[in-house]
Amino acid sequence: MNAPASRTATRAKPDLRGLTLPEISQIVADMNEPAYRAGQIASWVFGKGAGSFEEMTNLSKSFRAELSDRACLNPLNPARHSKSRHGPTTKYLFELGDGQKVETVLIGGSRRNTLCISTQVGCAIGCRFCASGLEGLVRNMTTAEIVDQVVQVRNQTTLTGEARPINNIVVMGMGEPLANYRQVLRAVRIINADWGLGIGARRITLSTSGLVPKIYQLAEEKLQFELSVSLHATDDRTRTRIVPINKRYPLKQLMKACRHYTGATDRIITYEYVLLKGVNDRFQDAENLVKLLKKDKCKLNLIPYNPVRGLPYERPDEHRQAAFVEALRTGGLQLTMRRERGRDIDAACGQLRLVESRRSR
Ligand code: SAH
Ligand code: SF4
């Protein structure tokens, strides 16, 4: 009788961009090579963004050949990129090994260059206003694919001469990061590590639609990363309508988890609130938001909705936005309003990929 396929199949080689330094060290130890080789490999892969083994010129040919027997390097393929006419925003569309496409957005600022990275192809949560969830979840991204978005954008900006250091990462692209918990946590650890991409933990923000059990799990990790929670509504009826995961984890449970997180980690949560015309932008909504958050140690970030073609949601006009902000400030809430950048390049989450997939039909 034949052995089961899983036992006969050779294990896929790990991608170096998804490995931690201890894991690279293990490969080097298995090769009976000196330990310092691991640091050299990490420096090529993460520090210099090497796209092939041939580039690692301080490693001998035979060493590289043996390394390539044990691990691979499959960089993302830049499928397309577009620059905003309105500001220093560039949106990248990358092709993964299986032909799937994900998007990454570089948002320039006077002090910070923020990279918004994706964690899943599509998204299972299906928030009604969001382009990423429209076609459901295709698959989780691997650690290497998540990390490589940072490496590739850094490589590209260096190549084009606009070598802006990426010093801020927001995990707010396509996908629900906490639904791909293990890979995302590995990726942000690599992005943060000194031997990795060296971006400070407090400059890395994870955003979740509210996966309550995962918020408790994250609290246990005692990490210094920032956490954003996509609130978007203050009553269960409205929130379930626009963020369907609210049916499983209603507001009371979500707020309890968030307060536990703050207590356990001493980290302040930022609540995201996307302003949708006629849905959550009434004076009463602002008042409810004040009631819900005023006793909490937290921040609030308002996001004027970026309309998605084919979806019935709209952004409230400037006057309504200002009135909403005023009501929150009067109520004593500290808030920021996300500035509009890159609207002309479909910079909201999931939109570029959607345009691309509609085009190829
Ligand atoms: N899945 C995670 C992270 C990715 S979405 C989450 O939902 O938090 C990042 C943020 O962008 C979320 O707050 C999300 O609600 C918001 N968002 C999605 N589509 C948007 C759009 N078209 N305009 C403005 N904000 C949007
Ligand atoms: Fe998924 Fe976030 Fe979009 Fe909701 S807003 S569908 S959770 S990516």
Side-chain angles (χ1 to χ4, degrees):
M1 204 171 89
N2 286 339
S6 59
R7 248 189 277 156
T8 47
T10 47
R11 269 189 72 191
K13 284 188 275 186
D15 192 310
L16 284 174
R17 276 184 191 141
L19 296 183
T20 61
L21 185 61
E23 289 165 341
I24 298 174
S25 299
Q26 187 57 54
I27 293 179
V28 168
D30 293 344
M31 289 165 67
N32 292 321
E33 290 283 343
Y36 70 86
R37 293 278 184 222
Q40 288 179 316
I41 297 170
S43 156
W44 279 110
V45 172
F46 304 115
K48 301 189 187 79
S52 67
F53 291 99
E54 290 70 50
E55 288 172 52
M56 304 180 185
T57 45
N58 62 353
L59 304 173
S60 71
K61 253 189 172 169
S62 58
F63 180 89
R64 281 185 263 148
E66 194 178 341
L67 184 61
S68 67
D69 282 341
R70 293 168 186 263
C72 64
L73 252 186
N74 292 325
L76 303 181
N77 184 17
R80 181 156 101 81
H81 79 271
S82 42
K83 251 175 149 20
S84 169
R85 288 188 304 273
H86 297 318
T89 301
T90 309
K91 186 137 186 170
Y92 299 84
L93 192 70
F94 288 113
E95 190 175 77
L96 310 180
D98 58 358
Q100 293 295 337
K101 299 205 173 79
V102 295
E103 52 196 68
T104 310
V105 185
L106 179 64
I107 308 150
S110 51
R111 283 177 300 131
R112 286 180 181 184
N113 286 309
T114 300
L115 193 68
C116 177
I117 60 175
S118 293
T119 53
Q120 296 184 308
V121 181
C123 182
I125 308 291
C127 300
R128 297 289 177 250
F129 52 85
C130 173
S132 296
L134 276 180
E135 291 167 3
L137 175 70
V138 179
R139 70 166 173 87
N140 281 332
M141 289 174 69
T142 63
T143 306
E145 288 166 342
I146 299 168
V147 171
D148 202 30
Q149 294 170 80
V150 189
V151 176
Q152 291 306 320
V153 172
R154 201 190 50 192
N155 283 359
Q156 290 222 4
T157 53
T158 310
L159 267 176
T160 54
E162 43 173 342
R164 304 187 292 182
I166 297 165
N167 46 18
N168 209 40
I169 300 287
V170 291
V171 188
M172 293 188 182
M174 199 188 327
E176 165 50 53
L178 299 191
N180 184 13
Y181 192 91
R182 199 174 148 264
Q183 308 281 1
V184 169
L185 266 267
R186 280 177 63 86
V188 288
R189 284 190 161 114
I190 293 173
I191 292 169
N192 169 235
D194 289 342
W195 49 260
L197 292 158
I199 297 176
R202 296 190 174 199
R203 293 191 164 272
I204 300 175
T205 304
L206 294 169
S207 177
T208 180
S209 57
L211 300 195
V212 165
K214 299 292 176 189
I215 294 175
Y216 283 106
Q217 193 176 344
L218 197 63
E220 292 312 304
E221 313 261 0
K222 305 273 189 289
L223 296 166
Q224 293 299 308
F225 302 120
E226 301 288 336
L227 181 64
S228 280
V229 173
S230 297
L231 191 60
H232 306 332
T234 53
D235 63 275
D236 281 323
R237 204 161 153 258
T238 313
R239 193 164 191 271
T240 300
R241 200 172 121 204
I242 53 178
V243 183
I245 193 79
N246 190 73
K247 203 168 168 117
R248 188 153 7 135
Y249 305 118
L251 275 165
K252 210 167 160 194
Q253 283 187 34
L254 176 62
M255 294 311 294
K256 195 171 162 203
C258 290
R259 286 167 187 146
H260 168 84
Y261 182 89
T262 308
T265 61
D266 212 23
R267 308 291 305 137
I268 290 179
I269 287 179
T270 299
Y271 292 98
E272 307 278 340
Y273 193 97
V274 61
L275 280 170
L276 301 165
K277 184 176 169 183
V279 177
N280 63 1
D281 64 341
R282 297 162 309 161
F283 182 73
Q284 187 62 52
D285 295 310
E287 276 200 340
N288 291 345
L289 205 45
V290 171
K291 262 191 230 143
L292 185 69
L293 299 181
K294 77 171 174 222
K295 291 203 190 109
D296 287 48
K297 241 166 73 184
C298 66
K299 293 187 219 159
L300 175 64
N301 188 28
L302 294 182
I303 316 168
Y305 181 56
N306 217 339
V308 176
R309 219 171 307 145
L311 295 184
Y313 296 96
E314 287 173 54
R315 159 191 301 212
D317 63 31
E318 298 283 330
H319 179 73
R320 173 67 75 144
Q321 289 180 35
F324 199 84
V325 168
E326 183 57 31
L328 295 176
R329 292 219 163 107
T330 309
L333 282 195
Q334 285 214 356
L335 62 106
T336 49
M337 173 88 103
R338 192 189 284 177
R339 271 180 296 132
E340 181 175 25
R341 299 186 201 97
R343 202 171 167 198
D344 57 318
I345 53 164
D346 297 312
C349 135
Q351 289 193 53
L352 188 69
R353 175 175 171 271
L354 190 72
V355 170
E356 190 78 10
S357 78
R358 280 179 182 159
R359 222 186 250 166
S360 59
R361 273 183 202 149

